[in-house]
């Protein structure tokens, strides 16, 4: 039997520090409902944490999280109201911050950002 993509799961999150925990919960519950493996779920939790953290740090207004099942795994999108697209920066070894997009790129098969009418959507696909 082929696993058909399921209905996407969406949540509106405030642009505050506690939103990453809620985003991880949304991802974990969706992945469990879709029967995805634990390794993929753990990677997805790290990715959504980084995407939401970037939204909290660099955007305004609420964040829109969407988690969608794909044939190969899942797609995570975080939309915010800032038109500024993310720019990966060189990692500063002495800094505890600044590794978010490096982590997203390492754990995702693809990632990117798409401008929207109200800001942007940053997405990652995991398999």
């Amino acid at each position: 039997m082929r696993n058909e993509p399921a209905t996407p799961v969406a949540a509106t999150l405030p642009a505050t520090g506690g939103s990453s925990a809620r985003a991880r919960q949304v991802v974990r519950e969706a992945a469990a409902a879709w029967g995805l493996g634990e390794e993929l779920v753990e990677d997805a939790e790290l990715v959504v944490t980084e995407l939401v953290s970037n939204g909290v740090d660099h955007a305004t207004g609420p964040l829109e999280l969407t988690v969608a099942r794909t044939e190969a795994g899942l797609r995570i999108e975080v939309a915010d109201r800032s038109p500024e697209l993310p720019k990966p920066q060189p990692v500063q070894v002495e800094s505890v911050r600044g590794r978010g997009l490096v982590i997203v790129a390492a754990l995702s098969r693809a990632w990117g950002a798409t401008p929207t009418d109200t800001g942007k959507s940053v997405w990652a696909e995991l398999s």
Side-chain angles (χ1 to χ4, degrees), residues 36-57:
L36 299 176
E38 187 63 25
E39 185 176 336
L40 177 60
V41 173
E42 290 173 359
D43 288 351
E45 286 180 315
L46 285 171
V47 167
V48 79
T49 297
E50 296 304 331
L51 295 181
V52 169
S53 293
N54 281 348
V56 168
D57 289 348

Side-chain angles (χ1 to χ4, degrees), residues 51 64 75-87 101 110-125:
L51 295 181
E64 299 295 333
R75 179 181 172 104
I76 300 167
E77 292 185 50
V78 176
D80 63 49
R81 294 184 181 167
S82 170
E84 188 172 339
L85 298 177
K87 297 176 192 96
L101 294 177
W111 78 275
T114 306
T116 67
D117 290 341
T118 58
K120 68 176 169 300
S121 177
V122 184
W123 56 269
E125 295 182 354

Side-chain angles (χ1 to χ4, degrees), residues 4 8 13 20 30 32-33 35 43 46 52 55 58 63 67 72 77 83 89 94 111 119:
E4 294 293 329
L13 306 170
S20 291
D43 288 351
L46 285 171
V52 169
H58 303 290
L63 307 175
V67 183
E77 292 185 50
Q89 303 293 322
E94 60 279 350
W111 78 275

Side-chain angles (χ1 to χ4, degrees), residues 43 47 51 102-111 123-127:
D43 288 351
V47 167
L51 295 181
V102 172
I103 292 169
V104 170
L107 296 176
S108 305
R109 69 177 183 82
W111 78 275
W123 56 269
E125 295 182 354
L126 293 87
S127 54

Side-chain angles (χ1 to χ4, degrees), residues 5 26 32:
V26 170

